[in-house]
Amino acid sequence: MVRLKQLWSSVMVLAVVVIGAGAVPITYLESAVAKGAVCLDGSAPAYHFDKGSGSGVNNWIVHMEGGGWCTDIATCVKRKTTMKGSSKFMNKDFGFSGILGGKQSTNPDFYNWNRIKVRYCDGSSFTGDIEAVDPTNKLFFRGARVWRAVIDDLMAKGMSNAQNAILSGCSAGALAAILHCDEFKSILPKTAKVKCVSDAGFFIHGKDISGGSYIESYYNKVVATHGSAKSLPASCTSSMKPELCFFPQYVVKTMQTPLFVINAAFDSWQIKNVLAPTSVDKRKEWKDCKLDLKKCTAAQLQTVQGYRDQMLAALEPVRATTTRGLFLDSCHAHCQGGSAATWSGAQGPQVGNTKMAKAVGDWFYERSTFQNIDCPSLNCNPTCPAVSTED
């Protein structure tokens, strides 16, 4: 469990890496505090807003930051003294790039939209909603309220006139984009084109190396600790246990709003924490392999390859209709749409000879459908960028 927390720290660092120029100042949503829509420590939620211009003035992309989850009182108490649990510790400016980039050359379809990055400070993928606050730990589990307060504020600032809108995110924020997708569409004008994009948020209900599903028990703790059940899509919870409705493969089956999934078949976070979590690796045989696949044995690489098979099975609901899009590369990566280099750059990953910026843009504007699955084995795609073992 200690190792899992350390790995989440790596994801949290990754989620706030700033690539590119054009820093956008933070906006603290102080009015949300009175509604109880607050971070884990009770501080005001926050976001960064770069206003649209020209043809993009009535188009909106709301992108939710990632950074893992906290599963119990102890991990949430620790989290509330960081930028992932309190707006008091957040950086005041954020450079936008990738899917949020403001340059036409690197983000041709969305560069002049209203672009918002919602900061992540609740630890529940914006699903928590418990009224009571324990005076001993002073933790506020209010992620769902935070999400709604931000959306309501953006509606008041012009999103109520949206013609086109995207709800997106990275990692835990991408999971939030899936979980809130239909609700987002229901809030926006009926005349608006509304779609959702998940970048590395398709966490699967996978089997781990012991044959069990550690990630299911992990999500069960998140849902229980944050009181998330009532905020998860009712179309899923009406027929499944709430913790299973944290898995996109079950939520997508009944989703009404078009969704585009960007994911790595060999997702670096999922290999470390879904396939080979430290708690089930009793002999530490996967300790080095899961951090650097070059250190895996032939048998371990076969197991990693098998994880891709699990991923493909979980993605079946996405592939069931062409209104959904899929960019599944065979890279060992996690969150690929946040930098100009990987989103549209010359060295960025391609699937079907297409970069993700073009794939998502064509899908959103319905210039063409896009559901492409990369070549089947690890390292088979020469356009995959090298991944640091610290990723």
Side-chain angles (χ1 to χ4, degrees):
M1 191 63 197
V2 171
R3 185 60 184 160
L4 182 60
K5 292 173 188 173
Q6 291 172 340
L7 290 170
W8 265 126
S9 296
S10 297
V11 173
M12 288 157 73
V13 169
L14 172 67
V16 296
V17 169
V18 177
I19 304 171
V24 180
I26 198 167
T27 296
Y28 298 101
L29 191 52
E30 298 290 353
S31 62
V33 177
K35 304 173 187 174
V38 292
C39 300
L40 280 171
D41 71 334
S43 59
Y47 60 81
H48 303 258
F49 182 8
D50 199 1
K51 291 186 178 179
S53 62
S55 61
V57 73
N58 287 321
N59 299 335
W60 296 72
I61 180 164
V62 180
H63 184 86
M64 288 171 289
E65 185 178 34
W69 306 275
C70 56
T71 58
D72 52 28
I73 298 302
T75 55
C76 292
V77 165
K78 185 175 181 180
R79 188 181 178 102
K80 79 172 186 175
T81 58
T82 73
M83 69 174 73
K84 295 299 179 184
S86 171
S87 59
K88 296 175 184 175
F89 301 101
M90 292 175 182
N91 44 312
K92 302 296 187 289
D93 299 288
F94 210 109
F96 279 11
S97 62
I99 195 171
L100 290 177
K103 294 182 179 179
Q104 187 173 8
S105 59
T106 57
N107 192 25
D109 284 307
F110 311 119
Y111 75 97
N112 64 350
W113 286 31
N114 295 283
R115 289 160 288 113
I116 298 95
K117 186 178 190 79
V118 183
R119 300 304 297 270
Y120 182 35
C121 64
D122 64 273
S124 70
S125 285
F126 298 90
T127 63
D129 192 2
I130 294 178
E131 180 65 33
V133 179
D134 188 327
T136 58
N137 57 54
K138 296 183 174 61
L139 285 170
F140 294 79
F141 299 110
R142 305 285 179 75
R145 296 192 202 182
V146 167
W147 184 83
R148 187 57 196 251
V150 169
I151 297 302
D152 286 348
D153 191 59
L154 295 175
M155 290 292 282
K157 289 180 176 176
M159 197 163 69
S160 59
N161 299 315
Q163 295 173 350
N164 296 292
I166 292 174
L167 184 67
S168 68
C170 153
S171 193
L175 174 59
I178 294 173
L179 298 177
H180 287 289
C181 185
D182 282 346
E183 183 183 1
F184 183 66
K185 181 173 173 57
S186 73
I187 295 168
L188 272 286
K190 291 194 183 333
T191 53
K193 181 196 294 285
V194 180
K195 300 186 180 184
C196 300
V197 176
S198 164
D199 178 10
F202 210 90
F203 299 95
I204 69 169
H205 189 201
K207 286 185 179 179
D208 58 46
I209 54 173
S210 73
S213 182
Y214 172 78
I215 192 66
E216 181 183 333
S217 61
Y218 185 86
Y219 278 164
N220 186 27
K221 292 177 184 177
V222 174
V223 170
T225 297
H226 292 267
S228 300
K230 61 180 175 287
S231 303
L232 297 172
S235 58
C236 180
T237 56
S238 62
S239 60
M240 304 193 81
K241 294 186 296 184
E243 62 268 26
L244 294 181
C245 295
F246 233 66
F247 291 106
Q249 67 199 78
Y250 304 126
V251 174
V252 169
K253 287 180 180 179
T254 53
M255 271 181 66
Q256 301 299 307
T257 310
L259 170 70
F260 195 105
V261 172
I262 300 167
N263 228 94
F266 303 100
D267 186 291
S268 56
W269 189 88
Q270 294 195 48
I271 296 294
K272 288 183 280 192
N273 300 295
V274 180
L275 178 63
T278 300
S279 62
V280 304
D281 183 22
K282 303 299 183 185
R283 297 192 218 167
K284 311 299 179 191
E285 293 171 339
W286 283 77
K287 182 180 178 183
D288 295 327
C289 163
K290 68 181 182 179
L291 297 178
D292 183 353
L293 299 185
K294 295 186 184 71
K295 296 179 180 177
C296 296
T297 65
Q300 286 173 324
L301 285 174
Q302 192 170 2
T303 302
V304 170
Q305 187 68 40
Y307 194 78
R308 177 183 181 273
D309 296 336
Q310 293 191 61
M311 177 74 74
L312 287 176
L315 283 165
E316 279 300 323
V318 175
R319 300 163 67 189
T321 170
T322 56
T323 61
R324 295 177 186 140
L326 176 63
F327 185 103
L328 185 74
D329 61 40
S330 288
C331 306
H332 181 227
H334 186 72
C335 283
Q336 301 178 83
S339 76
T342 51
W343 176 243
S344 61
Q347 304 302 314
Q350 297 181 42
V351 178
N353 295 316
T354 306
K355 299 182 190 303
M356 62 185 75
K358 180 172 178 12
V360 174
D362 285 350
W363 165 82
F364 182 84
Y365 282 112
E366 292 157 18
R367 296 188 290 252
S368 66
T369 58
F370 192 93
Q371 289 193 3
N372 268 298
I373 296 170
D374 207 354
C375 50
S377 57
L378 183 66
N379 299 324
C380 64
N381 184 340
T383 68
C384 286
V387 176
S388 165
T389 56
E390 297 302 312
D391 190 17

